[in-house]
Amino acid sequence: MTQNPKPLPSASQLHKALPPRSFAAPPEMVAGALLACRVTFDQRNGVPHKAVLVPVEDFEGRWKIRQGGRLVDLPALRRIDAAPVAVELCADRQAVTVTLPWPGNARRALLLLLHPQVAIGGDVEYDEIAGHREPVSLESGIVTRRVDQALAPGRGASFALGSCQYPAGMLDATVRVRTRALEDRYIGPAERSLWRLGARLENDPSIRFTVLTGDQVYVDRTAGLFDPSKLLERLSFAYESFLLNAGLQRVLRVAGAEIFPMLDDHEVADNWEPRPRGYGHDELQDEMAQGRRLYVMRQRSMWPPAVRGTVSDKRLWLATELHGHAFFFTDTRSKRQGRTIGNLAYASILRKPQSAELHKWIRTQGPDSPPAFVVSASIVLPRYLSMRGRPGSRNPLGLALQTDSWAGYPGSLHKLLARLYDANAQRVVFLSGDEHLSCIATITIECMFEGRKVVVYSVHSSALYAPYAFANSAIEDFAADETFEFIDEQQHAGLCRKFRCHVKTFFPDSGDGFAILRPYRSAQGAWHLDVEFDGARRKVMRTLDLA
């Protein structure tokens, strides 16, 4: 015999308060000490209807709420002084937007989402939903406020660079207790890099934003061995793991920071590349369409609205200005052409519209411009050793077909280098990830029979977490110090120009982690770029002179 459930009291009187599982974008401090944010809510709890911010403090390793001048354990809390505000459901139905007043001078505050489900007499109840399989971590709802300071004269905004976050498993994840404050010692190996980055964002307001160059999720985490058979299931599983990363949640909870995650191959499939023309229905394009859709919904939505709103979701590349510096975010994955031995010399990693816009953007970055940055998921240089070919070989491109980076598209790479030379773009810096090791390449370009040289840099970040050595590139794989020649395909003054490019590479061997880049101008007017590799093994600093 079944029993009817007891009727719930009026929803207008009652609610349940739960912190969000994660933030879909960093909270933004707006005018009037208001906090605006976009929050991914737990679908199993239903859509929240209101939200409230309350001050919170870490007291002897446990989170407590400051209420009425005293610290109160959350389970003992029966009423919240602050008035809740209504939330608005986003169009993707995965998140809500909310704008709340920040509670006084508190450095940290707990964002509670209120659900019209259960409470008694108007009091606030914090507990798990009946039958909820996982405890809701209090940590995931705590927002850290930092006040951005004015930049010192001659100093540009600093920013972080990272890529490649392999997901946590049973042995390398963070174990969280609902009311305990997370500390460094509790963080699992898989989440330490992003956790460390979150701490730096909280404590160093000069680091204004973070660029993640791709592979934030691994749809193919076990290379098909234990992955779900259906693509949508693999995508959902991968993004669930990504958003539950304790380090990512800390990064996303820093009010005032910005984050720019990009798409690369593991958001779709390892070394994804379309088939060349001539095929009928192409399931590889179906894979990319699904991967792009989830990327736009779950990662591109983290971009600041002011930047995200300048380009449609159908185009993943754009040029913009971030804190006084020009940036060009390339899409080197979804628009690349399929290659064969027949089209290898001219196949494009960007396709014509994006390539033309990038070359046009480069022409605006002359020798008197401030440092400008090209963000690319794929590394520009150095090349793999195999690209050198054998002495006297008729195939100087070596194994370009097996190379996933820019060097695997020699036509695109050579055009890029020639356009940098033409623009005399001495202050362009390329930023990339994907190879699972850190390096800085100094690239010197010269045209035969001309007396000038152009020097640009490529800064490559190590993986945030890459536990399997067989999947990581090694220093020995690269031509760290090499010179190669190429012909510019475009005619110049009626002649075909021949170029020489010399590459010299520094490998810091700092381990899994990220990089912090700090552009600045000296008293003599010269621009420099401090590059700090913050790795699991060590921190390494290099200063680049940007002519």
Side-chain angles (χ1 to χ4, degrees):
M1 178 178 178
T2 59
Q3 295 181 346
N4 293 327
K6 294 181 180 179
L8 291 177
S10 169
S12 63
Q13 298 177 348
L14 315 175
H15 59 257
K16 177 169 287 188
L18 293 168
R21 297 286 293 211
S22 61
F23 293 89
E28 178 184 1
M29 299 303 302
V30 295
L34 295 177
L35 179 85
C37 56
R38 184 179 190 273
V39 184
T40 298
F41 58 85
D42 191 334
Q43 299 281 351
R44 291 166 293 188
N45 295 336
V47 181
H49 69 133
K50 291 185 178 180
V52 66
L53 270 175
V54 293
V56 67
E57 294 183 20
D58 177 0
F59 182 76
E60 297 181 350
R62 301 183 72 84
W63 290 116
K64 292 180 180 288
I65 289 177
R66 184 163 292 281
Q67 187 90 336
R70 62 190 184 91
L71 295 176
V72 181
D73 284 325
L74 190 59
L77 188 69
R78 284 294 172 263
R79 189 176 297 275
I80 294 177
D81 294 339
V85 302
V87 303
E88 181 179 349
L89 181 63
C90 295
D92 58 16
R93 306 192 70 82
Q94 303 287 327
V96 293
T97 57
V98 59
T99 302
L100 304 115
W102 186 264
N105 297 320
R107 184 166 184 265
R108 289 187 174 92
L110 175 64
L111 177 62
L112 294 171
L113 299 179
L114 309 183
H115 299 261
Q117 288 161 282
V118 180
I120 299 175
D123 293 338
V124 172
E125 287 279 341
Y126 172 85
D127 204 351
E128 299 168 356
I129 295 288
H132 199 294
R133 295 181 180 179
E134 301 177 16
V136 180
S137 172
L138 178 59
E139 186 86 28
S140 66
I142 294 174
V143 185
T144 300
R145 180 188 182 185
R146 66 172 195 178
V147 179
D148 286 341
Q149 302 168 350
L151 297 173
R155 287 276 172 180
S158 303
F159 59 95
L161 174 69
S163 70
C164 305
Q165 173 62 59
Y166 192 81
M170 292 179 58
L171 302 179
D172 54 4
T174 298
V175 178
R176 289 189 270 194
V177 177
R178 188 178 63 184
T179 58
R180 186 187 67 196
L182 278 182
E183 300 177 5
D184 293 349
R185 55 180 172 160
Y186 300 132
I187 303 302
E191 302 172 353
R192 284 177 188 162
S193 290
L194 281 172
W195 181 263
R196 198 166 65 249
L197 174 58
R200 297 202 63 169
L201 292 174
E202 290 176 0
N203 298 308
D204 187 349
S206 70
I207 306 174
R208 298 295 174 86
F209 58 97
T210 298
V211 175
L212 300 178
T213 64
D215 295 345
Q216 286 74 242
V217 304
Y218 276 69
V219 175
D220 53 347
R221 61 187 297 172
T222 65
L225 187 60
F226 299 111
D227 297 325
S229 58
K230 295 182 179 179
L231 177 61
L232 286 178
E233 293 177 357
R234 295 199 300 272
L235 287 165
S236 299
F237 185 67
Y239 275 96
E240 179 74 8
S241 299
F242 174 57
L243 290 173
L244 289 178
N245 183 304
L248 174 71
Q249 290 188 3
R250 184 174 190 177
V251 169
L252 294 180
R253 295 196 306 264
V254 181
E258 299 171 355
I259 185 169
F260 297 86
M262 298 176 64
L263 175 138
D264 200 20
D265 56 328
H266 287 289
E267 276 85 1
V268 184
D270 185 28
N271 287 344
W272 185 92
E273 178 182 332
R275 291 190 177 94
R277 288 185 178 181
Y279 286 83
H281 175 74
D282 191 348
E283 71 277 8
L284 295 181
Q285 293 294 352
D286 293 342
E287 290 182 356
M288 176 53 71
Q290 294 285 8
R292 277 176 58 110
R293 184 181 67 83
L294 262 292
Y295 162 78
V296 169
M297 181 183 300
R298 299 294 186 89
Q299 294 196 59
R300 181 56 72 93
S301 60
M302 297 178 184
W303 288 43
V307 179
R308 190 175 70 245
T310 62
V311 65
S312 71
D313 293 341
K314 296 180 180 179
R315 199 184 81 186
L316 300 186
W317 53 272
L318 79 156
T320 187
E321 184 175 300
L322 299 179
H323 300 278
H325 292 283
F327 274 76
F328 195 105
F329 290 88
T330 63
D331 174 14
T332 58
R333 183 58 58 182
S334 74
K335 292 301 181 182
R336 59 175 57 193
Q337 289 181 281
R339 295 171 293 171
T340 66
I341 195 66
N343 73 351
L344 180 59
Y346 57 84
S348 175
I349 197 172
L350 300 179
R351 297 287 179 95
K352 285 185 178 180
Q354 183 183 180
S355 181
E357 285 297 316
L358 175 58
H359 295 166
K360 179 180 177 181
W361 180 88
I362 287 174
R363 288 197 296 270
T364 67
Q365 310 306 320
D368 299 325
S369 302
F373 301 89
V374 179
V375 184
S376 167
S378 300
I379 191 171
V380 175
L381 288 168
R383 306 189 303 175
Y384 272 89
L385 272 173
S386 59
M387 291 292 295
R388 285 181 168 178
R390 297 187 303 273
S393 171
R394 294 183 179 181
N395 180 18
L397 299 179
L399 300 178
L401 272 177
Q402 281 71 50
T403 302
D404 189 57
S405 66
W406 278 79
Y409 290 80
S412 294
L413 176 61
H414 298 162
K415 285 182 181 179
L416 176 68
L417 296 174
R419 300 295 85 76
L420 290 165
Y421 178 86
D422 291 339
N424 198 18
Q426 302 274 12
R427 293 182 182 144
V428 170
V429 180
F430 292 89
L431 310 174
S432 54
D434 191 44
E435 298 293 345
H436 298 184
L437 84 172
S438 300
C439 68
I440 299 175
T442 303
I443 305 165
T444 304
I445 314 163
E446 58 180 323
C447 183
M448 302 299 194
F449 314 115
E450 292 189 18
R452 67 184 176 91
K453 298 180 180 180
V454 172
V455 179
V456 297
Y457 294 94
S458 172
V459 178
H460 194 77
S461 173
S462 66
L464 292 162
Y465 184 60
Y468 301 117
F470 64 85
N472 302 339
S473 297
I475 296 175
E476 295 76 19
D477 296 333
F478 291 94
D481 191 348
E482 73 156 338
T483 299
F484 62 92
E485 297 178 354
F486 63 92
I487 302 295
D488 182 17
E489 293 183 358
Q490 291 191 355
Q491 299 294 323
H492 180 71
L495 299 174
C496 195
R497 295 182 299 168
K498 187 175 182 179
F499 285 86
R500 178 180 292 125
C501 180
H502 180 68
V503 182
K504 189 173 183 61
T505 311
F506 164 70
F507 296 94
D509 193 23
S510 52
D512 289 352
F514 52 88
I516 302 292
L517 290 85
R518 303 181 187 274
Y520 67 96
R521 197 169 192 174
S522 67
Q524 291 73 32
W527 279 98
H528 306 275
L529 179 66
D530 286 343
V531 181
E532 176 192 349
F533 293 103
D534 188 328
R537 296 193 191 104
R538 62 181 69 88
K539 291 183 180 180
V540 180
M541 178 81 75
R542 272 292 175 101
T543 298
L544 309 181
D545 298 325
L546 304 181

